[in-house]
Amino acid sequence: MPKTLLLSLALTFTGFLCLAQQEIPLYPGPVPNAKTSDVKETKRSGQVVSNVVQPTLSIFLPPKEKATGAAVVICPGGGYGVLVMKREGYDVAEAFTKMGVAAFVLKYRLPNEKTMIDPSIGPLQDAQQALKTVRQRAKEWGVDSKKIGIMGFSAGGHLAATAGTHFKKPVINNPETVSVRPDFMILIYPVISFRDEIGHSGSRKNLLGASPKPEQVTLFSNELQVDESTPPAFLTHAGDDTVVPVKNSLIFYEALQKKGVSADLHLYTKGEHGYLKTPAFEEWFGRIRHWMNQSGLLTP
């Protein structure tokens, strides 16, 4: 094959890859709740990001012939201190596209008094804006506006659960009254509660400060915010998780059950925090695929 043709094919393939992932600013205008500061975003090896001040959405769309119409906004974890963008974001998004689901990786702002007027609502603002954006542009991206969910890992799971339980009081400017309620939640070894006996103290401190008011702790303990309108949920956790106790998932599942909200809960004896060695990705992600299929989300 001539070298010129090989080069042309390589450039075409590279262009396709660039089109497969597009990063866009989350807000079309000024970022709400922001302060002017000299804080700069930093990125470490493995796509671990900190000091996020300009939130973005990275768009992963499935081939049109495979698209189911379902979409998920993905919130990477990191204790509200960093974001594990690759392993808990981009890698998962690519897996979703293979099953016909559009995925949107959210690089959300991390709470910081230097960059935000009210750090406690910054991440939730970004999650709600992401859901609003995907719903507004659903037709453009081949998405069913009634099949848009949110997924989160660890503290990102807390953010996803917050989005699923606090949507009645939007914290963003929404004159169009676009729904910011996710249609489903996928919570992976999530932080759910900020109560002392079961919560993750690091996430709580980063979001609410060193001495949060009791009413703030209650408000952001999402097991206490579940009602009949909370969206269906998939949860998975490991019993040997010493970072975020498995009780977080147990109490959220119980709260959903009490309110008649459909939920799947998958527990593993081993897995620790992060599922770094076990269970294998295909094992726990396969459970998600099964749940989404059973829920009708994968039916075009």
Side-chain angles (χ1 to χ4, degrees), residues 212-231:
K213 295 178 180 178
E215 54 267 30
Q216 281 187 300
V217 173
T218 297
L219 181 64
F220 286 97
S221 292
N222 291 317
E223 78 280 10
L224 304 177
Q225 307 305 324
V226 172
D227 65 20
E228 290 81 3
S229 65
T230 302

Side-chain angles (χ1 to χ4, degrees), residues 25 28 88 163 242 296:
E88 296 180 348
T242 58

Side-chain angles (χ1 to χ4, degrees), residues 195-263:
R195 291 185 286 167
D196 289 337
E197 59 270 27
I198 54 174
H200 182 244
S201 59
S203 296
R204 184 179 75 177
K205 181 179 179 181
N206 284 337
L207 187 66
L208 302 182
S211 302
K213 295 178 180 178
E215 54 267 30
Q216 281 187 300
V217 173
T218 297
L219 181 64
F220 286 97
S221 292
N222 291 317
E223 78 280 10
L224 304 177
Q225 307 305 324
V226 172
D227 65 20
E228 290 81 3
S229 65
T230 302
F234 173 98
L235 300 103
T236 183
H237 220 124
D240 64 350
D241 191 332
T242 58
V243 178
V244 178
V246 68
K247 193 171 182 180
N248 280 267
S249 285
L250 294 174
I251 60 171
F252 198 63
Y253 179 77
E254 289 174 356
L256 294 167
Q257 287 282 295
K258 286 179 181 178
K259 296 299 182 179
V261 178
S262 174

Side-chain angles (χ1 to χ4, degrees), residues 274-295:
Y275 291 179
L276 297 177
K277 297 179 180 179
T278 188
F281 178 83
E282 186 51 40
E283 159 58 30
W284 64 264
F285 193 77
R287 304 279 181 175
I288 294 173
R289 184 187 301 111
H290 174 76
W291 176 74
M292 293 183 74
N293 189 47
Q294 291 293 105
S295 301

Side-chain angles (χ1 to χ4, degrees), residues 6 41 48 67-68 70 87 89 111 122 152 170 208 284:
L6 281 172
E41 182 178 309
V48 176
T68 62
R87 186 169 59 83
L208 302 182
W284 64 264

